């Protein structure tokens, strides 16, 4: 019996030795041939890659279903929808899964931090959802979480693209659309009154393709899109240091305005005219100097529109073609009163023929019908004053002198029908004509009853008076000596005074900050 047990034990021992030998042989052979056993991390990565491959087709269909659900809350979401509906390739949940997890995790945490720095809620960029789905892919615990692989793949792909594009578009072009914000405030008949027409840069399909080309290194790309100008950066600093609600609101609203980049925004050092509605001021800015003046701008019901254009014409002693709304609401009730029309220097023109007609021959209903136009003759009493600065725009507004100088003494100067009345029109004209000689300037002065400054001008005026003549009416045009000068009619409630450099706060006169905050609410924490 002992002999038998010993023999059996010997066989088992020999078997174990043989097994060990085989394992050692296989190990030595594998090492000799360059093979190695995969680590646990490598095994999970292989299984993850296999899951992506096995479920790719179903996940793509699921993504299409996600895109059909609900509506896009932001323009960036629409851009993402159009990309995938147009056959765009998957960007994130594909290929090297290790790189996927790294890029997704880095992007989510970066956006969470950036959101805090601009007072946004991280949820706007789906950071928690992204990190949750990343953990599912890292651990492969889909079953225990009750989540299908296809749902997780489609959701993570869409969340990453939307988060990336929301931040990219927001920092490059603005988080809200100023056209939608300001041009849908006041009903006008069947539509709305338009008050914003700045030609700003906007995202298009090319921007989407360029942005998505950077998904392998997303942080460097989207970080580069944030405005770098000094004003934006100073506003950002104020946001981080000002703990009051009013202070943070000012910073948030004016930071957003700096993200709307006008295609015509003057370059550093370029001569331009900056009109800021809240401050009721105009600054004429040259490379080596700045001077300012008061303005009167549009009343609440006739707000001065926001726009960027180029001043191309200085006109002296202009006539004023009275806007139809003023004719309809005010002038028409004086129909038939020749004394009223004479007293104000108004005359009536039949639109169809261009012929002047007597005020006595036109009724109030005819004036309100639009078949006639009313114009004010040029001269001292003209509502446009003696100088007007014209620039292309769809609102038919301009900068001009005024015959009501007392209005500049008021604290609140929102009194016009939309145009901007300037306190020092001749100073502004000289700014527009930096190369004009004194003789040219003196002819302009004499045309508007100002005294000449040069000896030649004084002698010329003396001669005219001796001959009983008045000074010549001089038209200065862009074809003559006027260079095109950029003009910005803008709206900032917190901004550095261009003349002093000191930061100043101004009243939200048209309540545009209120409208911005209303639409930014979805982003704020």
């Amino acid at each position: 019996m002992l002999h038998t047990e010993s023999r059996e034990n010997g066989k088992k021992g020999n078997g174990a030795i043989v097994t060990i030998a085989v394992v050692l042989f296989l190990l030595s052979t594998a090492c000799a041939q360059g093979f190695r056993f995969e680590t646990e991390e490598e095994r999970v990565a292989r299984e993850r890659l296999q899951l992506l491959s096995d479920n790719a087709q179903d996940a793509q269909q699921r993504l299409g279903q996600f895109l059909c659900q609900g509506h896009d809350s932001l323009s960036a979401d629409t851009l993402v929808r159009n990309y995938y509906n147009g056959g765009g390739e998957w960007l994130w949940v594909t290929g090297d899964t290790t790189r996927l997890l790294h890029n997704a995790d880095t992007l989510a945490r970066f956006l969470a931090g950036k959101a805090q720095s601009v007072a946004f809620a991280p949820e706007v960029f789906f950071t928690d959802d992204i990190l949750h789905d990343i953990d599912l892919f890292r651990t492969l615990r889909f079953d225990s979480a009750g989540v299908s692989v296809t749902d997780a793949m489609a959701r993570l792909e869409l969340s990453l693209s939307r988060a990336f594009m929301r931040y990219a578009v927001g920092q490059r072009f603005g988080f809200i659309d100023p056209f939608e914000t300001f041009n849908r405030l006041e009903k006008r008949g069947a539509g709305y009154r338009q008050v914003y027409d700045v030609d700003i840069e906007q995202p298009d399909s090319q921007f989407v393709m360029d942005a998505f080309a950077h998904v392998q290194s997303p942080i460097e790309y989207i970080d580069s899109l944030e405005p770098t100008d000094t004003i934006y950066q100073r506003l950002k600093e104020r946001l981080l240091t000002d703990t009051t609600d009013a202070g943070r609101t000012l910073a948030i609203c004016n930071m957003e305005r700096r993200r709307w980049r006008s295609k015509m925004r003057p370059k550093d050092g370029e001569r331009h005219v900056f009109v800021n509605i809240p401050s009721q001021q105009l600054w004429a800015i040259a490379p080596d100097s700045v001077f300012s003046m008061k303005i009167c701008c549009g009343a609440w019901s006739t707000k001065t529109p926001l726009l960027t254009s180029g001043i191309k014409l200085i006109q002296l002693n202009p006539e004023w073609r009275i806007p139809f709304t003023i004719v309809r609401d005010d002038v028409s009730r004086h129909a038939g009163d020749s004394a009223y029309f004479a007293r104000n220097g108004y005359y009536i023109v039949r639109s169809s023929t261009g012929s002047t007609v007597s005020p006595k021959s036109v009724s109030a209903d005819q004036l309100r019908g639009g078949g006639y136009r009313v114009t004010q003759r040029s001269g001292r009493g003209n509502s446009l004053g003696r100088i007007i600065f014209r620039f292309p725009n769809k609102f038919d507004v301009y900068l001009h002198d005024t015959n009501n100088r007392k209005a500049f003494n008021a604290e609140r100067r929102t009194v016009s029908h939309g145009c901007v009345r300037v306190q020092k029109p001749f100073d502004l004209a000289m700014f527009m004509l930096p190369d004009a000689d004194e003789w040219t300037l003196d002819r302009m002065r004499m045309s508007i009853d100002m005294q000449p400054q040069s000896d030649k001008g004084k002698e010329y005026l003396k001669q005219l008076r001796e001959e009983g003549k008045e000074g010549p009416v001089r038209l200065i045009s862009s074809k003559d000596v006027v260079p095109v000068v950029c003009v910005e009619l803008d709206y900032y409630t917190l901004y550095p005074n261009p003349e002093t450099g000191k930061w100043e706060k101004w009243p939200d006169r048209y309540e545009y900050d209120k409208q911005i905050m209303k639409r930014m609410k979805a982003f704020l924490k």
Side-chain angles (χ1 to χ4, degrees):
M1 187 70 176
L2 291 174
H3 179 72
T4 302
E5 289 179 358
S6 176
R7 191 166 51 205
E8 290 296 326
N9 288 336
K11 289 180 180 180
K12 291 180 180 179
N14 290 337
I17 293 173
V18 171
T19 301
I20 294 172
V22 170
V23 171
L24 291 174
F25 172 77
L26 291 174
L27 286 172
S28 62
T29 303
C31 291
Q33 295 181 6
F35 296 121
R36 65 181 180 81
F37 290 98
E38 66 180 359
T39 64
E40 178 64 17
E41 183 179 347
E42 290 170 334
R43 180 190 66 78
V44 173
R46 174 174 55 77
E47 293 181 359
R48 187 187 304 119
L49 183 60
Q50 188 63 51
L51 273 176
L52 296 183
S53 177
D54 292 344
N55 292 276
Q57 188 171 354
D58 290 341
Q60 191 145 0
Q61 292 178 354
R62 191 68 177 121
L63 177 61
Q65 294 171 356
F66 284 160
L67 291 171
C68 292
Q69 296 171 0
H71 65 280
D72 299 329
S73 58
L74 300 171
S75 61
D77 295 350
T78 301
L79 293 172
V80 171
R81 175 193 296 270
N82 292 341
Y83 169 80
Y84 285 112
N85 284 339
E89 296 181 353
W90 279 40
L91 303 161
W92 312 89
V93 187
T94 182
D96 184 348
T97 57
T98 301
R99 188 177 186 86
L100 153 69
L101 295 176
H102 172 76
N103 285 347
D105 186 86
T106 303
L107 177 63
R109 297 185 188 281
F110 173 81
L111 291 179
K114 280 292 183 179
Q116 301 286 344
S117 72
V118 291
F120 286 176
E123 305 89 76
V124 174
F125 305 107
F126 315 108
T127 53
D128 288 345
D129 292 340
I130 291 171
L131 292 173
H132 173 266
D133 285 340
I134 288 172
D135 186 62
L136 289 179
F137 277 97
R138 183 173 284 123
T139 61
L140 302 181
R141 295 174 180 169
F142 296 99
D143 292 339
S144 60
V147 178
S148 72
V149 176
T150 55
D151 276 8
M153 289 174 64
R155 186 175 59 219
L156 182 57
E157 173 73 17
L158 187 56
S159 295
L160 285 166
S161 290
R162 281 180 171 168
F164 177 81
M165 193 57 64
R166 281 185 177 189
Y167 190 82
V169 168
Q171 290 291 40
R172 179 62 182 81
F173 303 100
F175 287 93
I176 65 174
D177 183 348
F179 292 95
E180 182 74 17
T181 300
F182 302 126
N183 289 337
R184 298 184 65 83
L185 295 178
E186 300 176 32
K187 276 282 190 179
R188 285 291 188 273
Y192 290 88
R193 183 169 185 265
Q194 305 293 290
V195 294
Y196 187 91
D197 193 38
V198 180
D199 188 12
I200 59 174
E201 300 174 7
Q202 298 191 66
D204 55 17
S205 57
Q206 186 58 54
F207 173 79
V208 173
M209 298 308 295
D210 291 343
F212 281 154
H214 291 83
V215 296
Q216 296 303 323
S217 53
I219 306 307
E220 294 80 358
Y221 173 72
I222 57 175
D223 204 25
S224 71
L225 298 176
E226 187 172 12
T228 58
D229 65 88
T230 303
I231 294 174
Y232 177 88
Q233 293 300 325
R234 287 288 303 278
L235 288 167
K236 187 176 178 180
E237 291 173 10
R238 294 178 74 102
L239 175 64
L240 296 174
T241 56
D242 195 328
T243 58
T244 66
D245 290 341
R248 288 172 66 81
T249 293
L250 281 172
I252 289 169
C253 291
N254 291 286
M255 283 173 66
E256 178 65 6
R257 291 185 175 103
R258 296 303 293 178
R259 297 184 184 109
W260 305 331
R261 307 184 198 192
S262 168
K263 294 179 181 178
M264 292 186 64
R265 179 174 289 179
K267 300 176 182 177
D268 291 342
E270 183 179 350
R271 297 171 64 84
H272 65 281
V273 174
F274 173 52
V275 175
N276 189 33
I277 303 300
S279 66
Q280 303 174 130
Q281 286 179 284
L282 175 153
W283 288 272
I285 302 172
D288 56 354
S289 64
V290 179
F291 72 89
S292 64
M293 65 187 72
K294 295 178 180 179
I295 64 164
C296 295
C297 51
W300 177 268
S301 60
T302 53
K303 298 178 179 67
T304 294
L306 308 183
L307 59 90
T308 303
S309 187
I311 297 174
K312 296 184 177 181
L313 180 70
I314 302 174
Q315 189 177 0
L316 307 182
N317 297 308
E319 289 194 329
W320 180 38
R321 182 171 173 175
I322 303 175
F324 173 71
T325 53
I326 300 178
V327 173
R328 180 195 63 201
D329 299 339
D330 185 21
V331 177
S332 63
R333 58 193 173 92
H334 299 282
D337 186 350
S338 297
Y340 167 83
F341 281 83
R343 185 169 60 251
N344 288 283
Y346 295 166
Y347 63 93
I348 302 174
V349 174
R350 192 189 307 272
S351 300
S352 59
T353 63
S355 58
T356 302
V357 299
S358 170
K360 286 186 174 297
S361 66
V362 182
S363 69
D365 287 340
Q366 287 175 313
L367 287 177
R368 296 188 190 105
Y372 295 85
R373 63 177 184 267
V374 181
T375 301
Q376 186 180 37
R377 292 182 177 88
S378 63
R380 291 179 180 273
N382 189 279
S383 295
L384 300 180
R386 307 299 293 273
I387 306 178
I388 188 171
F389 304 87
R390 296 189 183 275
F391 43 88
N393 67 91
K394 71 178 186 180
F395 306 102
D396 197 26
V397 299
Y398 21 76
L399 311 181
H400 65 83
D401 184 18
T402 178
N403 62 351
N404 179 19
R405 311 295 304 174
K406 293 181 180 179
F408 292 112
N409 297 327
E411 187 284 323
R412 186 178 182 99
R413 300 187 292 278
T414 50
V415 296
S416 80
H417 288 90
C419 287
V420 176
R421 305 173 190 174
V422 297
Q423 182 186 26
K424 305 172 185 176
F426 196 79
D427 288 353
L428 186 58
M430 289 193 295
F431 172 81
M432 300 287 177
L433 304 169
D435 299 324
D437 56 35
E438 274 302 313
W439 175 231
T440 297
L441 295 176
D442 269 352
R443 281 183 289 179
M444 294 175 62
R445 291 186 181 101
M446 289 184 285
S447 297
I448 57 175
D449 300 325
M450 290 178 66
Q451 293 299 309
Q453 301 296 310
S454 68
D455 291 340
K456 182 177 180 179
K458 293 175 182 177
E459 183 63 30
Y460 181 75
L461 181 60
K462 179 181 177 182
Q463 181 180 344
L464 287 176
R465 287 173 174 169
E466 289 174 352
E467 297 174 357
K469 299 178 181 178
E470 295 184 3
V473 174
R474 170 77 171 164
L475 181 69
I476 305 296
S477 72
S478 56
K479 295 181 179 179
D480 194 344
V481 290
V482 178
V484 176
V485 176
C486 179
V487 58
E488 295 181 290
L489 306 187
D490 219 327
Y491 194 101
Y492 284 93
T493 49
L494 176 62
Y495 200 82
N497 185 309
E499 192 171 18
T500 66
K502 181 181 177 180
W503 281 80
E504 297 181 15
K505 302 175 184 178
W506 298 295
D508 185 16
R509 301 190 186 277
Y510 293 162
E511 296 188 355
Y512 286 168
D513 278 7
K514 182 178 179 180
Q515 296 302 324
I516 291 175
M517 289 301 290
K518 179 179 178 181
R519 287 160 177 77
M520 294 285 280
K521 186 177 180 180
F523 295 96
L524 303 179
K525 59 181 180 179

